[in-house]
mmCIF file of all heavy atoms in Angstrom:
data_model
loop_
_atom_site.group_PDB
_atom_site.id
_atom_site.type_symbol
_atom_site.label_atom_id
_atom_site.label_comp_id
_atom_site.label_asym_id
_atom_site.label_seq_id
_atom_site.Cartn_x
_atom_site.Cartn_y
_atom_site.Cartn_z
ATOM 1 N N GLU A 33 25.335 3.759 -28.599
ATOM 2 C CA GLU A 33 25.553 2.956 -27.400
ATOM 3 C C GLU A 33 24.253 2.696 -26.651
ATOM 4 O O GLU A 33 24.096 1.671 -25.987
ATOM 5 C CB GLU A 33 26.551 3.658 -26.471
ATOM 6 C CG GLU A 33 27.976 3.705 -26.979
ATOM 7 C CD GLU A 33 28.240 4.887 -27.901
ATOM 8 O OE1 GLU A 33 27.276 5.570 -28.296
ATOM 9 O OE2 GLU A 33 29.420 5.126 -28.225
ATOM 10 N N ALA A 34 23.307 3.628 -26.745
ATOM 11 C CA ALA A 34 22.036 3.477 -26.025
ATOM 12 C C ALA A 34 21.252 2.279 -26.539
ATOM 13 O O ALA A 34 20.551 1.605 -25.777
ATOM 14 C CB ALA A 34 21.204 4.749 -26.145
ATOM 15 N N LEU A 35 21.361 1.996 -27.829
ATOM 16 C CA LEU A 35 20.625 0.868 -28.402
ATOM 17 C C LEU A 35 21.136 -0.463 -27.882
ATOM 18 O O LEU A 35 20.427 -1.476 -27.939
ATOM 19 C CB LEU A 35 20.702 0.893 -29.928
ATOM 20 C CG LEU A 35 19.719 1.821 -30.641
ATOM 21 C CD1 LEU A 35 20.128 3.284 -30.483
ATOM 22 C CD2 LEU A 35 19.586 1.473 -32.112
ATOM 23 N N GLU A 36 22.364 -0.476 -27.361
ATOM 24 C CA GLU A 36 22.946 -1.707 -26.832
ATOM 25 C C GLU A 36 22.764 -1.821 -25.318
ATOM 26 O O GLU A 36 23.200 -2.794 -24.719
ATOM 27 C CB GLU A 36 24.436 -1.760 -27.193
ATOM 28 C CG GLU A 36 24.678 -1.735 -28.705
ATOM 29 C CD GLU A 36 26.146 -1.728 -29.074
ATOM 30 O OE1 GLU A 36 26.981 -1.554 -28.162
ATOM 31 O OE2 GLU A 36 26.444 -1.908 -30.266
ATOM 32 N N SER A 37 22.124 -0.828 -24.714
ATOM 33 C CA SER A 37 21.899 -0.852 -23.269
ATOM 34 C C SER A 37 20.741 -1.789 -22.933
ATOM 35 O O SER A 37 19.743 -1.851 -23.668
ATOM 36 C CB SER A 37 21.577 0.565 -22.768
ATOM 37 O OG SER A 37 21.093 0.527 -21.435
ATOM 38 N N PRO A 38 20.827 -2.503 -21.809
ATOM 39 C CA PRO A 38 19.697 -3.348 -21.388
ATOM 40 C C PRO A 38 18.454 -2.544 -21.052
ATOM 41 O O PRO A 38 17.362 -3.108 -20.955
ATOM 42 C CB PRO A 38 20.247 -4.080 -20.158
ATOM 43 C CG PRO A 38 21.387 -3.244 -19.667
ATOM 44 C CD PRO A 38 21.978 -2.612 -20.889
ATOM 45 N N HIS A 39 18.607 -1.219 -20.883
ATOM 46 C CA HIS A 39 17.468 -0.361 -20.550
ATOM 47 C C HIS A 39 16.904 0.356 -21.770
ATOM 48 O O HIS A 39 16.098 1.281 -21.620
ATOM 49 C CB HIS A 39 17.891 0.672 -19.500
ATOM 50 C CG HIS A 39 18.316 0.074 -18.193
ATOM 51 N ND1 HIS A 39 17.437 -0.594 -17.363
ATOM 52 C CD2 HIS A 39 19.534 0.029 -17.592
ATOM 53 C CE1 HIS A 39 18.091 -1.016 -16.291
ATOM 54 N NE2 HIS A 39 19.357 -0.663 -16.405
ATOM 55 N N PHE A 40 17.310 -0.073 -22.984
ATOM 56 C CA PHE A 40 16.862 0.639 -24.178
ATOM 57 C C PHE A 40 15.349 0.578 -24.351
ATOM 58 O O PHE A 40 14.716 1.563 -24.746
ATOM 59 C CB PHE A 40 17.564 0.079 -25.416
ATOM 60 C CG PHE A 40 17.145 0.766 -26.682
ATOM 61 C CD1 PHE A 40 17.376 2.127 -26.862
ATOM 62 C CD2 PHE A 40 16.496 0.059 -27.695
ATOM 63 C CE1 PHE A 40 16.988 2.763 -28.029
ATOM 64 C CE2 PHE A 40 16.105 0.692 -28.855
ATOM 65 C CZ PHE A 40 16.350 2.041 -29.032
ATOM 66 N N SER A 41 14.752 -0.559 -24.034
ATOM 67 C CA SER A 41 13.287 -0.659 -24.165
ATOM 68 C C SER A 41 12.601 0.337 -23.242
ATOM 69 O O SER A 41 11.555 0.915 -23.583
ATOM 70 C CB SER A 41 12.811 -2.077 -23.858
ATOM 71 O OG SER A 41 13.148 -2.446 -22.527
ATOM 72 N N GLY A 42 13.196 0.566 -22.062
ATOM 73 C CA GLY A 42 12.646 1.555 -21.148
ATOM 74 C C GLY A 42 12.717 2.961 -21.725
ATOM 75 O O GLY A 42 11.804 3.777 -21.532
ATOM 76 N N ILE A 43 13.798 3.265 -22.442
ATOM 77 C CA ILE A 43 13.917 4.568 -23.097
ATOM 78 C C ILE A 43 12.808 4.750 -24.117
ATOM 79 O O ILE A 43 12.170 5.808 -24.200
ATOM 80 C CB ILE A 43 15.301 4.703 -23.769
ATOM 81 C CG1 ILE A 43 16.403 4.704 -22.712
ATOM 82 C CG2 ILE A 43 15.375 5.977 -24.620
ATOM 83 C CD1 ILE A 43 17.799 4.596 -23.293
ATOM 84 N N ILE A 44 12.545 3.706 -24.890
ATOM 85 C CA ILE A 44 11.468 3.771 -25.883
ATOM 86 C C ILE A 44 10.123 4.010 -25.200
ATOM 87 O O ILE A 44 9.318 4.839 -25.646
ATOM 88 C CB ILE A 44 11.431 2.467 -26.711
ATOM 89 C CG1 ILE A 44 12.701 2.347 -27.563
ATOM 90 C CG2 ILE A 44 10.185 2.415 -27.585
ATOM 91 C CD1 ILE A 44 12.859 3.417 -28.613
ATOM 92 N N HIS A 45 9.885 3.306 -24.103
ATOM 93 C CA HIS A 45 8.634 3.500 -23.373
ATOM 94 C C HIS A 45 8.516 4.930 -22.851
ATOM 95 O O HIS A 45 7.429 5.534 -22.887
ATOM 96 C CB HIS A 45 8.549 2.506 -22.207
ATOM 97 C CG HIS A 45 8.494 1.075 -22.639
ATOM 98 N ND1 HIS A 45 8.835 0.034 -21.799
ATOM 99 C CD2 HIS A 45 8.158 0.512 -23.825
ATOM 100 C CE1 HIS A 45 8.702 -1.104 -22.449
ATOM 101 N NE2 HIS A 45 8.299 -0.853 -23.675
ATOM 102 N N ASP A 46 9.627 5.477 -22.377
ATOM 103 C CA ASP A 46 9.598 6.841 -21.847
ATOM 104 C C ASP A 46 9.378 7.864 -22.952
ATOM 105 O O ASP A 46 8.676 8.863 -22.758
ATOM 106 C CB ASP A 46 10.893 7.140 -21.087
ATOM 107 C CG ASP A 46 11.041 6.291 -19.837
ATOM 108 O OD1 ASP A 46 10.035 5.683 -19.417
ATOM 109 O OD2 ASP A 46 12.150 6.237 -19.270
ATOM 110 N N LEU A 47 9.957 7.632 -24.128
ATOM 111 C CA LEU A 47 9.710 8.517 -25.265
ATOM 112 C C LEU A 47 8.235 8.482 -25.658
ATOM 113 O O LEU A 47 7.636 9.514 -25.994
ATOM 114 C CB LEU A 47 10.582 8.117 -26.453
ATOM 115 C CG LEU A 47 12.093 8.314 -26.289
ATOM 116 C CD1 LEU A 47 12.835 7.727 -27.478
ATOM 117 C CD2 LEU A 47 12.432 9.794 -26.142
#
Side-chain angles (χ1 to χ4, degrees):
E33 290 86 350
L35 278 74
E36 300 178 350
S37 168
H39 297 294
F40 180 62
S41 61
I43 295 170
I44 294 296
H45 296 159
D46 294 346
L47 293 173

